[in-house]
């Protein structure tokens, strides 16, 4: 359904790292999406909420939005999502 509206890229360099998935709008008035996937590590994280927080922290610290901002998008147009997985459980934040 999003074909023709978004450019889908994955594992590309932006900022200081490589994001998992980015949906870049073809029309500058649409929002962009940055998605980071994380598998829950019980020895390091107490729950899925902490795993989501780590994913969102990674997006912020590594400045994955750099290319989108350089392309003229405003910060409020960039949606950032962390996906945390533990077996069949998933939490999105």
């Amino acid at each position: 359904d999003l074909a023709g509206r978004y450019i889908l890229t994955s594992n590309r360099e932006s900022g200081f790292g490589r994001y998992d998935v980015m949906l870049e709008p073809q029309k500058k008035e649409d929002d962009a999406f940055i998605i980071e996937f994380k598998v829950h590590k019980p020895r390091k994280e107490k729950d899925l909420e902490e795993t989501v927080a780590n994913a969102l922290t990674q997006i912020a610290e590594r400045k994955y939005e750099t290319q989108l901002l350089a392309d003229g998008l405003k910060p409020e147009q960039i949606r950032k999502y962390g996906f945390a997985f533990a077996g069949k459980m998933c939490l999105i934040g």
Side-chain angles (χ1 to χ4, degrees):
D1 289 334
L2 298 177
R5 289 187 55 205
Y6 285 90
I7 299 168
L8 173 69
T9 56
S10 66
N11 204 28
R12 300 257 176 98
E13 286 189 34
S14 185
F16 300 108
R18 292 178 176 271
Y19 56 82
D20 286 333
V21 174
M22 182 181 293
L23 289 164
E24 185 175 357
Q26 292 189 357
K27 295 179 182 177
K28 296 301 179 196
E29 61 270 8
D30 289 336
D31 288 345
F33 299 88
I34 300 172
I35 302 170
E36 186 66 27
F37 300 104
K38 292 280 185 201
V39 174
H40 175 66
K41 296 177 183 168
R43 293 183 180 179
K44 293 184 177 184
E45 302 153 339
K46 64 179 181 174
D47 53 25
L48 285 176
E49 286 83 4
E50 188 173 349
T51 307
V52 165
N54 288 341
L56 294 172
T57 297
Q58 180 176 326
I59 291 170
E61 286 180 351
R62 296 188 184 176
K63 302 185 185 309
Y64 291 159
E65 73 277 4
T66 301
Q67 185 59 49
L68 294 169
L69 294 170
D71 289 343
L73 271 82
K74 298 173 189 163
E76 59 271 12
Q77 289 180 276
I78 302 171
R79 308 287 181 206
K80 301 169 186 174
Y81 293 96
F83 282 59
F85 297 94
K88 292 184 179 184
M89 294 177 51
C90 176
L91 181 66
I92 302 168

